[in-house]
Amino acid sequence: MGRYEDFFIASAGASAAILGLLVVAVSVVNADDENPTTRENRTVLAGSAFVALVDIFIVSIVALTGGSVDFGLSSLAMAAVGLVATRRLVPRARRAGNFSSSFRTRELNIAFASISVVGYSVQLILAVALLANTRSTALLHALVLVIVVLYCSALGRAWVVTGINRRV
């Protein structure tokens, strides 16, 4: 775990900063828009980005407190939280029409939901495998890479939430 200490320190700080910025961004962009469908789309995307960033934050902080067992346990717990949160957010997105064929970002919304399910499932499986074999550097490295994937997913969602892609 020692070789990843700097990564976890940077990861904890970055995820906390991005979480704060996400809250501010959602407040600002939702104040600009009265369309309830757009607001709901943003709320669902922001919620899923928030869950990913909290996952990253908790896993990184806990990983700094101990070894691979702590990393595996926190990854396992946060993967379960992520799967439950995604299970609750997807029906909400569906009710808001985010997956309907007429919605302009339908494919992106489907991709984000799929990435969440796959990402948290992979995190869960790798965490169980790491807990079964705590000396495996390959499993440790793979689980660290899941954090990178979660970052990419959360940042992509935050980009869409802020509407920057429509303003550029």
Side-chain angles (χ1 to χ4, degrees):
M1 290 293 292
R3 77 184 236 189
Y4 296 110
E5 185 175 343
D6 290 339
F7 172 81
F8 289 128
I9 291 169
S11 181
S15 60
I18 297 167
L19 276 165
L21 291 171
L22 180 62
V23 169
V24 171
V26 170
S27 300
V28 169
V29 296
N30 273 346
D32 275 355
D33 197 338
E34 296 298 322
N35 184 336
T37 302
T38 305
R39 290 171 65 104
E40 184 66 6
N41 181 28
R42 285 185 184 140
T43 300
V44 169
L45 283 174
S48 62
F50 186 85
V51 171
L53 290 165
V54 168
D55 179 310
I56 295 163
F57 178 76
I58 297 296
V59 169
S60 296
I61 289 290
V62 172
L64 288 168
T65 67
S68 58
V69 172
D70 293 333
F71 181 45
L73 288 172
S74 63
S75 294
L76 179 69
M78 292 311 299
V81 167
L83 286 168
V84 169
T86 300
R87 184 171 185 259
R88 290 179 181 223
L89 286 170
V90 166
R92 186 173 172 182
R94 186 176 294 120
R95 282 191 304 273
N98 295 354
F99 302 132
S100 69
S101 59
S102 62
F103 204 81
R104 83 181 149 74
T105 58
R106 176 182 188 256
E107 291 82 15
L108 189 58
N109 292 335
I110 291 170
F112 283 146
S114 300
I115 290 167
S116 289
V117 171
V118 170
Y120 295 127
S121 297
V122 168
Q123 183 182 26
L124 184 88
I125 292 165
L126 289 172
V128 169
L130 180 63
L131 290 169
N133 183 4
T134 58
R135 296 188 186 273
S136 172
T137 58
L139 289 171
L140 184 67
H141 184 72
L143 206 45
V144 167
L145 290 177
V146 168
I147 292 174
V148 175
V149 169
L150 289 174
Y151 264 121
C152 294
S153 174
L155 291 174
R157 294 164 206 250
W159 181 267
V160 173
V161 166
T162 61
I164 293 172
N165 57 329
R166 290 184 305 278
R167 294 177 182 164
V168 173

